[in-house]
Amino acid sequence: MGVAVPDTYVELADLAMARGVAPGKYVEGLGVTRMGVPLVNEDTVTLAARAARMALESAGCSPEDVGLLVVGTETAVDHSKPVASYVQGLLGLPTRCRIFETKHACYGGTAALQMALDWVRSGSAKGRKALIVCSDIARYGVGTPGEPTQGAGAVAMLVSDTPALLALEAGKTGVYSKDVMDFWRPLYSKDALVDGHYSVQCYLDALEGAYRAYQEAAAEPAGEGAYSDRFAALVYHVPYGKMSRKAHRHLRTLDGDTAPDASFDRLVGNSLVLPSQVGNIYTGSMYLALASLLSTASQDLTGQRVGLFSYGSGSCAEFFSGVVQAGAQERVKALGLEARLTRRRALSIPEYEDVMRAREHLDERPAADAAGTGFRYQGTRDHKRIYAT
Ligand code: HMG
């Protein structure tokens, strides 16, 4: 696994004060402390490439071993050329590699992951690995209710028949999809549009449908106590921390638990440590929450089952599960994700607003002459995006 976030962020308490809102509404009410805000040299491609490089390095995997690269994103940089092709070029992945992009709001990365699992299980992988990258920059209008739920980042995962972090359980998955208009981004807009409170209800309805479908698919004998106590942890899609709390309350109520909040810290708390510092990263949000669980849980999760709930507006959702592998927590801790977050620089609100304005025209920004290094977006020349390697 690899994770990339912007080097800069906005403190939600500062944003609240600038908008004339009590800081408690964003920090406690939404459960977000900071949100990542990318500068103009960062885009969906650079975040994806940085996360993918970290995943390859962390696994000691050569680019030559990758036979499938899929980037899930809803903030792509081109109507035709996939983010995945740019990533292939930046990372030097082999030409004998199937490459494409998937889109279904925040579910796009999970769609890619499930497809990669089938590719591995079918034998088509022939020992090669799939590289799945979820990369997005969440953007709502300045001053809108969605503004404090922005964020940016990417999570990359290597999928193979020798899992080192999580062994995803074949057949244990429940899907729910429904045509709803809860959140969308018209072709003419850089900002997402959302029917905020309705989107929360759509998420909860999808959770219920997917959780019930999972239980039917898993077909396990009835047991004592709450069904969700079969999991050592639950990782929900996190558009903002409070949504996970609402999700957990709903799921435990479905289980017949009359004190549905009592298990929240035990089953969910660790998964929210990193997301609360980064905000919504759309496709990668649930996987950042998984990274958070594995890097911050103090108890040994080896051999324990984790439940995962992925939700994409529009909508499609999936509840699935995996078993934590020996050494997984040490591997993710070794990525030093918490330390990386503390090294970021805070933007003042005027700086953040300048960045938001500059990002409006990012796609047409003339390419800077300076070569630069480290997977940075330099601008466009002859209608082609230029990246520093
Ligand atoms: P809002 O309507 O301005 O906020 O925006 P609110 O009035 O609902 O207040 C939020 C919470 O703060 C409430 O808590 C208040 O009580 C509390 P709740 O009742 O929900 O438990 N509050 C305070 N707490 C402490 N101190 C205070 C205080 N004041 C109030 N002083 C909304 C909220 C989520 C609607 C908005 O931010 C929004 O539209 N966000 C974007 C949409 C979104 O994230 N939806 C989530 C579900 S859909 C999804 O997850 C998919 C998505 O990721 C996209 C994709 O799939 O691609 C979004």
Side-chain angles (χ1 to χ4, degrees):
M1 186 180 248
V3 175
V5 295
D7 302 329
T8 41
Y9 68 89
V10 160
E11 201 75 59
L12 266 283
D14 294 348
L15 183 66
M17 281 187 289
R19 300 289 174 257
V21 171
K25 175 170 175 181
Y26 292 173
V27 180
E28 284 94 45
L30 294 176
V32 192
T33 309
R34 294 173 172 175
M35 63 184 192
V37 174
L39 299 181
V40 293
N41 61 1
E42 192 93 81
D43 69 7
T44 303
V45 169
T46 62
L47 289 166
R50 285 169 51 209
R53 180 175 55 189
M54 186 192 284
L56 290 172
E57 285 176 0
S58 151
C61 172
S62 158
E64 289 300 320
D65 297 336
V66 177
L68 173 69
L69 165 66
V70 193
V71 177
T73 183
E74 55 177 298
T75 50
V77 297
D78 192 287
H79 289 303
S80 292
K81 178 165 171 163
V83 170
S85 290
Y86 288 103
V87 173
Q88 176 185 31
L90 289 168
L91 292 181
L93 295 184
T95 50
R96 288 189 183 175
C97 186
R98 187 175 290 156
I99 304 259
F100 58 96
E101 182 176 296
T102 49
K103 181 184 78 178
H104 185 136
C106 296
Y107 178 75
T110 301
L113 175 65
Q114 294 294 346
M115 185 264 156
L117 288 169
D118 288 342
W119 179 72
V120 169
R121 287 177 185 137
S122 70
S124 297
K126 296 193 173 68
R128 291 168 301 165
K129 294 176 175 24
L131 178 58
I132 303 304
V133 191
C134 308
S135 183
D136 274 301
I137 297 176
R139 184 183 162 110
Y140 297 89
V142 167
T144 64
E147 186 184 23
T149 63
Q150 298 177 110
V155 180
M157 294 163 284
L158 279 164
V159 184
S160 75
D161 54 7
T162 51
L165 301 184
L166 208 57
L168 292 164
E169 298 182 286
K172 293 199 174 171
T173 164
V175 170
Y176 175 94
S177 60
K178 189 175 181 187
D179 178 9
V180 289
M181 207 68 196
D182 61 334
F183 164 104
W184 65 104
R185 187 165 64 87
L187 286 175
Y188 52 79
S189 177
K190 287 239 184 263
D191 297 340
L193 302 178
V194 62
D195 188 343
H197 291 279
Y198 177 57
S199 75
V200 171
Q201 192 52 52
C202 290
Y203 176 121
L204 295 176
D205 291 347
L207 171 63
E208 181 166 343
Y211 186 50
R212 296 282 191 228
Y214 175 91
Q215 289 176 27
E216 272 180 43
E220 288 169 351
E224 297 281 304
Y227 188 89
S228 56
D229 279 331
R230 297 170 189 216
F231 304 98
L234 291 161
V235 178
Y236 300 98
H237 168 57
V238 196
Y240 52 95
K242 176 64 86 60
M243 188 69 238
S244 293
R245 186 174 279 278
K246 287 177 194 282
H248 189 65
R249 190 177 293 154
H250 190 59
L251 185 128
R252 292 293 289 200
T253 304
L254 292 172
D255 278 351
D257 186 347
T258 51
D261 286 333
S263 57
F264 182 79
D265 287 344
R266 173 173 60 87
L267 290 174
V268 189
N270 289 110
S271 69
L272 299 183
V273 177
L274 300 181
S276 74
Q277 300 290 316
V278 179
N280 192 358
I281 62 168
Y282 287 164
T283 48
S285 290
M286 189 194 76
Y287 300 99
L288 181 65
L290 175 62
S292 180
L293 167 71
L294 294 175
S295 61
T296 67
S298 50
Q299 75 273 31
D300 182 5
L301 293 170
T302 306
Q304 308 273 314
R305 186 192 267 178
V306 173
L308 301 145
F309 175 67
S310 175
Y311 176 75
S313 285
S315 67
C316 188
E318 187 151 351
F319 192 101
F320 56 112
S321 58
V323 176
V324 178
Q325 301 298 287
Q329 288 166 277
E330 289 70 23
R331 273 175 179 268
V332 180
K333 279 191 179 88
L335 300 176
L337 299 177
E338 281 183 281
R340 283 172 197 265
L341 293 184
T342 59
R343 288 200 291 272
R344 295 174 300 168
R345 179 171 77 80
L347 295 176
S348 67
I349 300 305
E351 276 180 305
Y352 149 72
E353 288 172 355
D354 281 351
V355 170
M356 292 297 277
R357 268 189 294 274
R359 295 195 66 86
E360 285 279 332
H361 306 288
L362 209 56
D363 299 329
E364 300 138 286
R365 193 169 72 112
D369 285 339
T373 53
F375 298 159
R376 295 296 169 179
Y377 171 63
Q378 293 191 271
T380 66
R381 192 177 297 135
D382 301 330
H383 303 286
K384 295 171 187 161
R385 296 177 88 87
I386 311 284
Y387 291 94
T389 53

